[in-house]
Structures are given as C-alpha cells and as structure tokens.
Amino acid sequence: AVVSTQSTGSEVKRETQCTAVCSGAIFSTYQKNRVEEVCARLGLVSIAPLWEREQETLLQEMVDNHLEIRIIKVASIGLNQSHVGQHASDLLPHFKATSKKFGFNVCGEGGEFESLVTDCPLYAYKIQVDKSEKVCHSHDDMAPVWYEKFEAVSLVEKPGLKDLGLRERIGLVSKLGS
C-alpha cells in the first residue's frame, strides 16, 4: 500500500505542485508515521492539525461546525448494523456512553468505525447517498463488522457556493465562527 500511495503521491505532487499533505490522524501513531514516511520519500511536509486532540471535544467541535459525518463501517463492541448509515451527531451520546463503559474511542481512531464526511461548510456540493445496503463482513458476537455498500450517490449543489473559490468559502466559514 505504501508503494501504491507513494506512486500516486508522486503523480499528485507533479501535477498539482503541492508541497504538503494534511492528514486526519488524531491518536494513531501508526497512521501518522505512515503518512510521514510517504511524505518524507516524496519531499512533502506532513501536517496533522488534529494530532493528540481530546477526542470527545474534537468530535463535538466537528458536529458544532456543521460537519455531516456518516458512519460507513462499524467494528467494535457497542456498535452494530443499526449504527451504519447514521450520522455521528446523532450517535455522539451513544459514543460517549460506550467510551465510558468499554474504553471506546469516540473518533474511531482505534478502528471502532469508519466515517465519511458527506457535507461541511467548505463543500460546494453535498455528497448524497441515494441508495446503499448494509453488508455484514463478520458475525462476531462481541464486535460484529458491518459496512455500507454504496449503490448510488450524487452530488447536490449548495446554493451560492459553486462559483466561489476555496479561499472565499474559507472566508465564509470564518465568518460563521465569529
């Protein structure tokens, strides 16, 4: 996977002239180190702005800042098929309770779940899941593994944002926070 990531990274660097990679690593040293290794090979800077943030606070901030985070895979005690396809904002109380009971990582950094941000204030288009199915990968009694298989998705234009550049959208987001 690192070779594949490295060759893809070389292409992206060449075509976009990017100088850095921003990752969502929060607590996984393995994940952060892997990104840093690939960046070092490519001569890129690795940026991890979420690194070692308190996770319950971080997830609450994401929800408060209008990130629509869809749970697309579960693999942990306390999670099951019913949680797949739900939004983190709706599951936050359950995540907190599961964390207290089992040491569950509320941001999923231990592999408890995988997520997809389907909308946020920076997006000019919202990712809409039109049709999906829940698939059981493992029937483990303690921690069943379920994932969402997307069959149809679409992009829904957000009024007034399509023609704005990223810097302008960031400016709008900054104003929201003021």
Side-chain angles (χ1 to χ4, degrees):
V2 172
V3 172
S4 169
T5 304
Q6 187 172 346
S7 62
T8 302
S10 296
E11 292 173 35
V12 170
K13 182 180 177 185
R14 186 174 52 254
E15 292 181 24
T16 65
Q17 301 173 357
C18 75
T19 58
V21 171
C22 184
S23 71
I26 302 168
F27 193 70
S28 169
T29 303
Y30 173 79
Q31 181 187 35
K32 185 174 182 270
N33 288 346
R34 295 280 289 193
V35 172
E36 288 175 346
E37 288 169 12
V38 171
C39 286
R41 287 190 200 115
L42 296 171
L44 297 170
V45 175
S46 174
I47 303 168
L50 306 179
W51 184 245
E52 294 187 335
R53 290 280 314 274
E54 197 283 316
Q55 294 180 41
E56 194 172 303
T57 302
L58 177 61
L59 185 56
Q60 185 65 59
E61 285 177 13
M62 290 179 190
V63 168
D64 291 346
N65 284 286
H66 311 287
L67 273 73
E68 188 174 282
I69 304 165
R70 185 181 184 104
I71 306 305
I72 59 171
K73 181 180 177 186
V74 296
S76 174
I77 190 167
L79 296 180
N80 59 48
Q81 173 185 6
S82 70
H83 300 107
V84 174
Q86 289 194 46
H87 291 108
S89 57
D90 299 325
L91 293 173
L92 192 52
H94 179 72
F95 286 176
K96 289 177 182 180
T98 307
S99 176
K100 285 178 180 58
K101 190 171 183 177
F102 300 112
F104 178 91
N105 187 308
V106 297
C107 285
E109 277 289 284
E112 292 86 349
F113 62 88
E114 299 294 334
S115 61
L116 172 68
V117 177
T118 55
D119 194 16
C120 81
L122 291 177
Y123 290 3
Y125 295 85
K126 176 181 177 170
I127 302 168
Q128 180 173 292
V129 178
D130 299 315
K131 185 177 180 189
S132 67
E133 70 173 297
K134 297 176 184 182
V135 177
C136 183
H137 177 72
S138 167
H139 286 285
D140 186 283
D141 289 337
M142 292 294 288
V145 178
W146 286 87
Y147 67 91
E148 186 171 23
K149 180 180 175 187
F150 298 125
E151 297 174 359
V153 295
S154 56
L155 295 177
V156 178
E157 185 178 329
K158 293 164 61 176
L161 293 180
K162 182 179 95 171
D163 296 325
L164 296 179
L166 180 59
R167 286 182 196 269
E168 294 167 304
R169 291 196 307 271
I170 290 171
L172 288 175
V173 171
S174 297
K175 289 177 188 173
L176 285 175
S178 315

